[in-house]
Each structure stands twice: as C-alpha cells, then as structure tokens.
Amino acid sequence: MVGKGASGKSQKYTPKPKNLDKQEKQGVEIRQNMTVSELAQAMNREIGTNHVYDALLNTSLDLDQLEPDSVLEDRWIKEAVKRSGMKYKWATLVEAKVRENKDVLRQPPPDPALLVSRPAVVTIMGHVDHGKTTLLDSLRKTQVAAMEAGGITQHIGAFLVQLPSGEKITFLDTPGHAAFSAMRARGALVTDIVILVVAADDGVMKQTVESIQHAKTAKVPIILAVNKCDKPQADPQRVKEELLAHDVVCEEFGGDVQAIHVSALKGDNLMELAEATVTLAEVLELRADPVGQVEGTVIESRTDKGKGPVTTAIIQRGTLRKGCTLVAGKAWAKVRFLFDENGQSVNEAGPSVAVEIVGWKELPSAGEEIVEVESEQRAREVVEWRIYAEEQEKLKGEQQAIEAKQRQHQESYKREREGLAHLSWRQRKSALYRANKHRIAHRPSERHESAELSLPVVIKGDVDGSVEAILNILESYDADQQCQMDIVHFGVGDVSENDINLAETFSGTIYGFNVGANKSIQQMAAKKGIPLKLHKVIYKLIDDLKEEVNSKLPPAVEENVVGEASVLAMFEVTVGKKKVLVAGCRVQKGQLDKRMKFRLTRGRDVLWEGSLTTLKHHKDDVQMVKTGMECGLSLDKDIDIMAGDEIVCFEEIEVQQKITWDPGF
C-alpha cells in the first residue's frame, strides 16, 4: 500500500508489529515470605524499595505500616510484580543433599574370652607442693621434681613403673596448681585408681578437694597417701578427720579408703603404698583386649623441633605398632615412631601403657579419643567429616545468634518508628534521613579511634595442656569494663615470625610459656617494638600479664587530707582601700599549707573548693600553720562563711589503677 505524505511524496507504509504490548516481559523469581527489600532486589538491583511502594499505591494495603523488612503476603508479591510490567515465577526449592556420616566410633565391648590382665593406670593427685612428684621420683628413682620450673609440675607425666615384686603400674602425675584443673580432670577420666596425696603438715587444701571431686565424677576408687609424715609438725590423724567432710572415709573410721602414712623424701612406707595399689588393682580385676583395633586417649600433645607433632597417650585397647593409622579429633597419624617415658624407641604398646606417638599430620588436642582405622584414605574421610560436622554445628550456632540479633534490631527499629507512625512512608523516610544524618560513615581517614582500652595478646605454650590451662585462666577475665583483653592467637611451639606479624598487626604482646624464641625472632620483635615475654612458671606469666593490663589503665586521682581547721569567727580587714573578709580559724588536725587545695564544708555540704589568697598567723603572712595554732585566711572566691564551718586542706595524688580481675592465685 502506498500513501502520500505532507510533502506529496510517496511513502511506503510500515505495518505496526503484532503483539507489541505482549513483548517478552522481564521474569522475576519469587518465593513465599519475601520482604519489601528482597522483592525489590529480585525485580532489579537498581530499583530500590521505593518502586515496590509505588507499585502498591492505590491498593488496600496500608503503605504507612510497610517497612523495607516487612514480610509481604503472596498476593501482594504477585500484585507488585504485575503492576511493574513483569511476570513472576516461583523459585525452585533445592533440597539440600544430606551428607553421609563418615565418622568412626569406638568398637562394641570385646568378647570376655579375649580379655587379658593389664597394669593399673594410677593417677597421683593433690594440692601443689604436697609431694606428688617427689613420691613418684622415689618409686622410679628419677629426679623429675628438680627439673620442674619453680618446683611445680606443669605437665602430665605418664610412665610405667615395675615394682620389685614384678607387678607393673602406669602412673600419671597431674599438676596440683590451680591453673591445671582441666589436666587433673583428664587424668581422672583415663585412670583406674587415684592416689590422693595430702601433706600431713598442711592438711586438706583447695586442689585436694578439687581432686576428690574429679575422682568421684570418674567413679574411681581412692587410696590416701598422707605425705611428709617425717616432719615434726605432721598430724596425719587431723588430715584423715578433715577428709571425712568430703566423703573420703578411711578404713579406721569404717570406710573403704586405704590410708598409708609415707615420707616421699625419705622413702618411708613407699612399698606399702605400692602393695596397697596392687591389691586394689587385683580386686578391680582390670582386663583389656590386646588384639582388637587400637583405642586410647591423648594425655598431652606438643610440637617437637625434630619429631614434629607428638602426643603422649594411654592405650586402652589393642596393641599399637609402627605403621598403624590413627585418628584423634580432627587430626590423623601414620605412626612412624613410638617412645617410652625414658625416650627409648619401642616397637609396640599394649593396654595401660603410656607411649609417645610420632607421625601426626596435625596436632590433636589433649583429651581426644584415639581410634585406629584401616587406611590413610579412611583417616582422611573421618577427619573431613568431623571438620564438616563442626562447621555445620558452628553455622547452626551462628544462625541462632544472627536470628536473635535480627529480632533485637527489629524491636529497636519498631520503637524508633513509633513516633513517626502518623506520617506517610515518604515523609517518614525524609524524617529518618534527617535524624540519622550524623551516623553516615566517615571515610577511613576521618574515623576516630575507639576510646576503649584493650590488650591484644598472643599465647604460645610448649604443649597443648599448658595452652589450655592458660586459656582457662584468661577465660575468667572479668575486667572488660576497665580494659578489654583480646586473645588474637594461641598455639603450641616456639615463637615464630607469624606470631610477631600477628602481634604487630593488632599492636599486641606475645606471652610464651616454656617456649623459646631464637635470636632472629627476638631481634625482629625488638625492631618492631613487640613486647616478647617468656616465662617458665605459669603464675609468673599471669602476674606479668596483670601488670601489663594495670599499666594500660589511666592513673586514678586520690585525695590525701593534709589538715583540718574550724572557723571560729569572721572579721574584715582593710587592704589598701579594699575590705577583705577573713576567717579566723584554729587548726584541729594536721596542718594547713597554702600551696595545697582547700575545701569549705558546712555539715555534709561542700560550699567551695579552691585556693587561699592569704594565710596569716597573727599579722604575718605564712606558708604553713600547724595543729593547735590560730590563723586567718581568705578564699579566692566570695563565700558566706560562718562560725562552725570546717576548712579542709588536701592534696591530689595520682596512683596507678589496678584491675578487679582475680585469677585465684
């Protein structure tokens, strides 16, 4: 078809495309319970929530009650999409694939016919300095106590002792210090018998009671060793009577607890103690399966420079040999070497034997269960599963925390908007912008540093148990309102370059316990100004840490009263042409020093604080007036002073503040 335009020229007619109004519409993926902001994002990331409000204008929905986090009903979600010229489609729900549990568990109880007798695992427990390690020294004829820093045991010692009679006993020596509660609990959970050492000259102490509780929790029988009976002030009878209050009843009082009076230093009655232990072990009929898959418990773990990750373990089932594949927590090992308590290489370790295991890929935590698996591939599967399960549990906990935080924010959000309920959403948005203008984030260069005091620390220890003990102490820190303590990193082994870099990043301090730092590390720390504090005794490390926190606190101002005086009468004196009001006073206590500060009080009310302009004794200007003397003084401000008022002379002294945290020792 041909037509003519305004110019008279022929023009070709172009037909209007069919379905112009039905061109391909943008698809929006929707789902149930979408919020306004989520719907806006699904439509177009650039649109924002205003578009959703505009789309829902002139509907029965009350826009004044609608917020960006308000949940929309399905019909309003669909309506908003339609009115925006888009089409909706329901999101496909993807069902999460359930991951197969690849964990490994301990085997079921063995056939009683396979069981053979095993040595007793005996834990020595008690209060610090009551002679536990000395007692063991006498049994194994070594000098461990002499090597312990500060004379206190700071690790679990595990070793096998063969008595002259031929019987074998595996002993665990747990630390008695307050910081090592977790180690004592771990010792009780893998033991058959607890020997409770109490000094005859000291009696029942805090860690004694704690040791009794660990033994009772683990349902382990107790043998009482009353030590230091050779001392003149020793009173074993008092010790046994004190223990009655803690439900430890000795045989002489009708109970079932054997009590042996010993002297670890002189070696008195040690064989009687050993015999009592063997007798009790026979009564308990201790037996184990030596042929099944290996099971055990990590007693201690550390990183050795030559051997890498090393664990001390008690074998509870099976016989551990070189080449076995083990899993403990989130670590696994192909056993390369086994060592006894004397550092001698051994080929195997059966039930109740304490052994050092070398060959771990990562360092397992003390207290973890050891289980043997059939191959390295299986070990990796177990570790991967455990890491995954832990992450899922962590995510679950984080999700709960997020939901709780969201509820808190929503409540706060609603409270904030209650006063704006009468406004339309556009007016409300404008009002909120004006109200929150000051909250708009500054550029990083404009941000002010936090006024809160904090002490970031990096903790390094020689073994896992030591680090655990230090972290347990720091967990009790309760002085965050004075100075926050942030543990930015902790680990096992000597201080490394990574520790220095972390401490530099967070402006922190490195605390090392029984670890070293080579010369280059020390020079690096000094160059970067990183405090590097290495200790051999745990309570000295904690004292040092407390001192550093104290040094962070601003000094407090304390008031020291120098003297007090009573106002006897008021009179005026003429100085040149000016009349000055003078208070006639008598010094009741101390002295008045014109260089100090003064306070005027009437009853309990403070009327004035400041300085004196004049201080006279008779007619002479003086610097100081002592007790019993009369004086005249005038203040640096016109105050209505009356007879009977009190004048206090004081000085302000800056003193170092101390944190309120008490770690218990």
Side-chain angles (χ1 to χ4, degrees), residues 325-327 331-333 373-384:
T325 307
L326 306 176
V327 173
W332 69 276
V373 292
E374 56 271 18
S375 65
E376 292 183 28
Q377 184 185 349
R378 180 75 181 105
R380 289 191 187 95
E381 274 183 2
V382 172
V383 170
E384 284 173 10

Side-chain angles (χ1 to χ4, degrees), residues 169-308:
I169 302 174
T170 296
F171 282 103
L172 298 181
D173 176 22
T174 62
H177 200 272
F180 295 92
S181 175
M183 283 196 189
R184 275 195 297 284
R186 196 153 54 242
L189 291 172
V190 296
T191 193
D192 302 309
I193 299 168
V194 165
I195 293 181
L196 182 66
V197 179
V198 187
D201 62 335
D202 204 5
V204 176
M205 304 297 284
K206 184 179 178 182
Q207 274 80 58
T208 314
V209 177
E210 201 177 271
S211 298
I212 293 167
Q213 289 168 349
H214 288 317
K216 288 187 179 298
T217 302
K219 297 179 181 176
V220 177
I222 293 173
I223 294 175
L224 174 64
V226 185
N227 194 22
K228 303 187 182 182
C229 287
D230 55 310
K231 288 197 170 185
Q233 62 270 42
D235 188 355
Q237 196 64 24
R238 178 175 66 89
V239 169
K240 289 184 276 189
E241 288 171 0
E242 285 179 357
L243 287 169
L244 289 171
H246 302 286
D247 203 23
V248 177
V249 185
C250 297
E251 289 176 336
E252 63 187 83
F253 298 127
D256 56 1
V257 176
Q258 299 177 80
I260 315 295
H261 298 184
V262 299
S263 169
L265 203 59
K266 293 187 175 181
D268 297 345
N269 285 347
L270 291 190
M271 280 306 102
E272 284 83 347
L273 179 62
E275 286 167 11
T277 306
V278 170
T279 304
L280 182 54
E282 287 174 357
V283 172
L284 294 172
E285 295 183 348
L286 302 170
R287 295 159 72 79
D289 171 17
V291 295
Q293 284 190 316
V294 174
E295 293 177 1
T297 301
V298 177
I299 297 297
E300 195 51 89
S301 56
R302 62 187 171 86
T303 302
D304 187 278
K305 283 182 182 175
K307 301 173 186 174

Side-chain angles (χ1 to χ4, degrees), residues 49-101:
T49 55
N50 287 355
H51 181 87
V52 179
Y53 292 128
D54 290 337
L56 295 173
L57 279 171
N58 304 317
T59 64
S60 59
L61 186 64
D62 185 3
L63 293 181
D64 290 343
Q65 299 298 319
L66 208 60
E67 303 294 350
D69 59 351
S70 298
V71 176
L72 293 166
E73 292 178 27
D74 292 353
R75 60 178 177 140
W76 297 124
I77 295 173
K78 294 174 185 177
E79 187 69 23
V81 173
K82 285 178 184 175
R83 287 181 171 222
S84 301
M86 304 175 188
K87 65 177 182 179
Y88 64 83
K89 60 178 178 180
W90 288 101
T92 307
L93 294 176
V94 180
E95 190 176 343
K97 189 179 177 182
V98 178
R99 192 163 168 176
E100 186 186 349
N101 189 331

Side-chain angles (χ1 to χ4, degrees), residues 158-174:
F159 46 84
L160 192 69
V161 172
Q162 186 160 2
L163 303 177
S165 57
E167 286 92 350
K168 292 179 179 178
I169 302 174
T170 296
F171 282 103
L172 298 181
D173 176 22
T174 62

Side-chain angles (χ1 to χ4, degrees), residues 385-534:
W385 164 260
R386 289 180 176 180
I387 291 170
Y388 168 76
E390 187 181 85
E391 286 173 354
Q392 292 304 305
E393 197 62 35
K394 189 178 177 184
L395 283 172
K396 190 178 175 183
E398 286 175 352
Q399 187 59 37
Q400 289 171 349
I402 289 166
E403 286 172 1
K405 201 73 177 173
Q406 282 177 338
R407 285 195 296 271
Q408 185 183 336
H409 278 304
Q410 283 172 358
E411 288 168 10
S412 171
Y413 188 83
K414 286 174 183 175
R415 283 197 300 271
E416 188 180 345
R417 282 152 179 74
E418 278 174 1
L420 308 172
H422 61 287
L423 302 175
S424 70
W425 66 269
R426 288 187 190 278
Q427 292 171 323
R428 185 157 63 246
K429 188 175 179 183
S430 175
L432 286 171
Y433 174 78
R434 289 194 301 271
N436 297 325
K437 206 172 180 180
H438 66 285
R439 294 185 188 174
I440 295 172
H442 298 288
R443 290 192 299 271
S445 60
E446 296 173 345
R447 286 178 187 157
H448 299 290
E449 288 188 7
S450 170
E452 288 183 351
L453 295 174
S454 68
L455 174 64
V457 294
V458 173
I459 303 292
K460 293 303 288 284
D462 55 342
V463 295
D464 188 65
S466 302
V467 176
E468 180 186 25
I470 295 166
L471 294 179
N472 282 345
I473 297 167
L474 299 186
E475 210 172 84
S476 70
Y477 185 78
D478 56 2
D480 283 323
Q481 73 284 358
Q482 293 174 285
C483 178
Q484 284 192 347
M485 187 183 296
D486 301 319
I487 300 169
V488 297
H489 176 66
F490 61 86
V492 175
D494 288 347
V495 179
S496 65
E497 187 176 336
N498 182 51
D499 301 324
I500 301 290
N501 292 335
L502 276 168
E504 182 186 23
T505 302
F506 291 95
S507 305
T509 303
I510 299 172
Y511 283 89
F513 175 68
N514 267 341
V515 295
N518 61 40
K519 199 168 184 182
S520 65
I521 292 293
Q522 291 179 7
Q523 288 171 348
M524 185 189 292
K527 186 179 177 182
K528 294 185 174 184
I530 306 299
L532 180 58
K533 303 189 177 186
L534 306 179

Side-chain angles (χ1 to χ4, degrees), residues 28-44:
V28 179
E29 202 171 67
I30 64 170
R31 55 182 172 77
Q32 289 185 327
N33 299 323
M34 289 182 87
T35 63
V36 173
S37 56
E38 286 171 348
L39 179 57
Q41 192 175 12
M43 287 178 173
N44 187 328

Side-chain angles (χ1 to χ4, degrees), residues 85-160:
M86 304 175 188
K87 65 177 182 179
Y88 64 83
K89 60 178 178 180
W90 288 101
T92 307
L93 294 176
V94 180
E95 190 176 343
K97 189 179 177 182
V98 178
R99 192 163 168 176
E100 186 186 349
N101 189 331
K102 296 281 188 178
D103 206 354
V104 61
L105 302 173
R106 290 200 172 200
Q107 307 161 74
D111 183 350
L114 299 174
L115 302 181
V116 297
S117 295
R118 64 173 177 81
V121 179
V122 178
T123 301
I124 309 287
M125 289 188 166
H127 192 74
V128 65
D129 199 31
H130 276 200
K132 301 181 300 299
T133 308
T134 310
L135 178 64
L136 285 166
D137 291 344
S138 301
L139 286 168
R140 64 174 180 169
K141 301 289 188 266
T142 58
Q143 288 299 313
V144 176
M147 298 188 299
E148 291 285 2
I152 62 171
T153 301
Q154 303 186 122
H155 304 122
I156 289 184
F159 46 84
L160 192 69

